[in-house]
Every structure is written in C-alpha cells, then in structure tokens.
Amino acid sequence: MGSLGFIMSRVTKPNHKYVYIFIIVIILSAILMQKKENPREESNVEPSYQNTLLTQLNAESYIKNSTVDDISQIKIGIIDTGILEHPNLNITMINDISEEEVEFPHGVGVMGIIGSYGTSYNSYEGLLPGVVLYAYNIPLNELTTTNLSTGIDKLVEFGVDIINISLSTSVDDPKLYKSVKAAVSRNVTIICSSGNSGDNSLYYPAAYNLPGVVSVGALNNDMDIMPATTVNEQIDIYAPGEGINSLNKEFSSISDYSGTSMATPIITSFATILKVRCSSITPEEIEQYIRDNSTVYLGRWRGISKSIRLLNGEKLDRICTGG
C-alpha cells in the first residue's frame, strides 16, 4: 500500500450500490497507482527520521532546533482513513475508531511520518517525535465529501491550528469548500495532497484557490515529480514522496510508502515548526513563506519539463528567528 488519492462519492448519503462501487475504485486505485507496501523489521531502520530526506530538504538544523515543549503548543489535526491505535503514536481521537478490519493503515502511515516516537516495539521516529495528533477517522466505506467536511468542522471546533488531509476528491462540493474556507478564516492552515491521478485534473481540497490552503506534490528519489502525482497550477510545494518510511499496523515493523499522501505530512511537520516560531502567523503567511523560501529548479514529470518548488528547511529556519 502507498499513498492513496481517494475519489469520494458525490452523494451525502450513498446507497449500498454507490458504496460498493466506491470501495472497488479505491482498491483499484491502490493497486494501480501506489507502491506496494514492504514491511521491514525495525532493526534495519535508522532510529531517527531518514537522514537522506532531511538532506534533500536542507533541513537538519530546522528539525534539531525545535523542542517537544515548543511543538506541543500547536495542535495538529489529521483527517484520514485507516487510523489505528499504535504504541508509537500519541493520538487523541476526535471521533470513534471504526471496528472495521483495516486492510490499508493509511492514516497510521501518515501520522507516523509526523509524530512517531521510539518504543520497545520499534525505534522509528517521525519528524516531530511524540507530538500529540488530533485524529478524525473516516472508515473506508464512508469516504464522502460530506464526512470530510464534517471532519474539518469538528477539528476546527476542537481548536486545532493545522489540519493534514492526505485525501483528495474530484468533486467540487460546495459544502466542502465552505468548511475549508471557514477553517482558514478561523486561522487554521489546511495542508493537503494534490492527488495521484497522474494528470492535471483538479482534486479537492488541494485545488481550492484559498489563501492558507497548501497543495502538496510528491517527488521521486531522483527529485523529479512522481509520475502518479496530480500536477496543476494550484500546487504550492513539493516534498519527497517515494519510499518514505513509516509505521505499519504491525507494531514491530515499518513500511515503505509512496505518493502525495506521504509528502503532505512532511510539509505539515515543517509548517508546525513555522507556527511555533511565528506565533501570530496566519494560514496565508504560512503558505506564502513555504512557497517563497523554497528551492526552485527545473525537473521532469512524465517526460515534460516542469518548474519545481522544493521545501527548503534552511531558508525557513531564518523565518522569525533573526537568522
């Protein structure tokens, strides 16, 4: 399993026919678009987050200069599917975890990249080890735009500062737009995956042209855009998204994940530190600072030359620190 660009139903109360079709679409999407999950024992993994990743992002000092006490001031919301209790994660659930059998622990992988901390099960650490993650789980068979809107509303009511949404839909639902706009107006930054369609389609909420909504694309190990990434004018920033290590539902192992869903929590982690350092910063400014302090270069996507904005931790390290 890898990062999933979920396609959501147009209806708010889908009947069984739509649910079955929806599940089939998700499974086919996972098979065709995503890199197969490859669990590896924790003994083969560096206890700290991938050094290669931090080097690619020029971000060693940006991460090391941040303390757990500082980061704990910021509430990070997660909306996802496949969220499970895990000993390496510090989760506060906003809604109930479904009793369904989870085939794809998508949310566990997303959250591990941000907040995993070492335990007796495995020593894997995310970018912000031990940070509390406020999670809203949407069961796989209930992935609709209505439920995504509800998740945003609930997290905003709970007082989060940032919401990570590693889900996407081709449906431009007015209710979803209203929820995203309302969240940003209440000083909540929305960071979301651009999608994994491999074309230039618009997927929401990433494609909403709202200040404070950060759209994230994924890069491969050659630092070109991953072929499956949805590429359009709304993408604000790119981050590595191929073979990203994170937690699995098996406590003692980790997996390699790929796709825009895994690039997104990387950006969320850096936006969290930015929010810590600049306490009065607005969602619009977070989006602007991430874009303006990136490394811009010419790369490739599906054989086409594309301008890429790569997150640059060293440049962000100077924001609100006087560096």
Side-chain angles (χ1 to χ4, degrees), residues 74-79 134 151-165 177-192 205 210-214 268 271 275 279-287:
I74 307 302
K75 288 185 175 181
I76 305 172
I78 307 289
I79 301 176
Y134 299 88
I152 294 171
D153 296 342
K154 293 293 185 183
L155 284 170
V156 171
E157 290 173 9
F158 197 79
V160 301
D161 300 287
I162 295 172
I163 300 177
N164 186 103
I165 304 177
Y177 178 83
K178 181 179 179 181
S179 292
V180 172
K181 186 175 182 180
V184 173
S185 70
R186 293 181 62 176
N187 208 33
V188 178
T189 305
I190 308 289
I191 301 178
C192 34
L210 290 169
V213 176
V214 182
T268 295
K275 179 73 174 176
S279 58
S280 61
I281 196 171
T282 66
E284 180 177 5
E285 289 170 333
I286 287 177
E287 178 186 3

Side-chain angles (χ1 to χ4, degrees), residues 1 16 58 92 100 110 132 143 176 182 193 225 253 263 279 302 323:
M1 186 209 94
H16 292 300
N58 205 13
T92 295
E100 67 175 345
V110 168
V132 178
L143 278 170
L176 178 59
S193 54
I225 302 171
S253 68
S279 58
R302 305 182 73 86

Side-chain angles (χ1 to χ4, degrees), residues 261-321:
S261 285
M262 302 305 144
T264 302
I266 295 172
I267 301 299
T268 295
S269 299
F270 281 76
T272 299
I273 298 175
L274 190 57
K275 179 73 174 176
V276 169
R277 296 182 177 183
C278 314
S279 58
S280 61
I281 196 171
T282 66
E284 180 177 5
E285 289 170 333
I286 287 177
E287 178 186 3
Q288 177 186 339
Y289 290 165
I290 287 175
R291 285 176 54 90
D292 292 351
N293 293 281
S294 59
T295 299
V296 182
Y297 63 96
L298 194 64
R300 306 286 291 177
W301 174 67
R302 305 182 73 86
I304 304 171
S305 294
K306 286 287 183 180
S307 179
I308 296 172
R309 290 181 180 273
L310 173 66
L311 182 75
N312 188 316
E314 182 179 3
K315 290 183 177 180
L316 283 179
D317 204 21
R318 302 168 188 162
I319 304 297
C320 297
T321 62

Side-chain angles (χ1 to χ4, degrees), residues 190-221:
I190 308 289
I191 301 178
C192 34
S193 54
S194 68
N196 295 313
S197 66
D199 56 28
N200 62 355
S201 301
L202 296 178
Y203 284 85
Y204 305 94
Y208 287 135
N209 189 23
L210 290 169
V213 176
V214 182
S215 176
V216 182
L219 301 178
N220 62 22
N221 291 331

Side-chain angles (χ1 to χ4, degrees), residues 36-190:
K36 185 178 179 182
E37 189 177 73
N38 180 28
R40 296 185 296 170
E41 291 302 316
E42 64 89 21
S43 58
N44 295 327
V45 182
E46 290 290 332
S48 60
Y49 200 76
Q50 295 94 320
N51 293 329
T52 300
L53 173 64
L54 294 179
T55 300
Q56 289 170 332
L57 298 175
N58 205 13
E60 293 91 337
S61 62
Y62 190 77
I63 295 297
K64 292 177 182 178
N65 290 342
S66 303
T67 68
V68 174
D69 289 341
D70 289 338
I71 295 169
S72 65
Q73 301 172 28
I74 307 302
K75 288 185 175 181
I76 305 172
I78 307 289
I79 301 176
D80 220 304
T81 190
I83 293 177
L84 301 170
E85 296 287 357
H86 194 291
N88 289 64
L89 292 172
N90 192 357
I91 305 174
T92 295
M93 288 303 305
I94 303 303
N95 65 338
D96 293 331
I97 294 180
S98 173
E99 296 297 327
E100 67 175 345
E101 178 65 25
V102 174
E103 288 294 326
F104 302 125
H106 190 259
V108 173
V110 168
M111 291 189 295
I113 291 170
I114 300 173
S116 178
Y117 59 94
T119 67
S120 60
Y121 289 96
N122 71 70
S123 57
Y124 173 77
E125 291 186 354
L127 289 166
L128 310 175
V131 66
V132 178
L133 299 173
Y134 299 88
Y136 188 90
N137 184 63
I138 304 177
L140 192 61
N141 63 350
E142 297 179 16
L143 278 170
T144 65
T145 54
T146 294
N147 286 338
L148 179 54
S149 298
T150 300
I152 294 171
D153 296 342
K154 293 293 185 183
L155 284 170
V156 171
E157 290 173 9
F158 197 79
V160 301
D161 300 287
I162 295 172
I163 300 177
N164 186 103
I165 304 177
S166 290
L167 304 172
S168 61
T169 172
S170 60
V171 180
D172 183 5
D173 188 328
K175 183 175 182 180
L176 178 59
Y177 178 83
K178 181 179 179 181
S179 292
V180 172
K181 186 175 182 180
V184 173
S185 70
R186 293 181 62 176
N187 208 33
V188 178
T189 305
I190 308 289

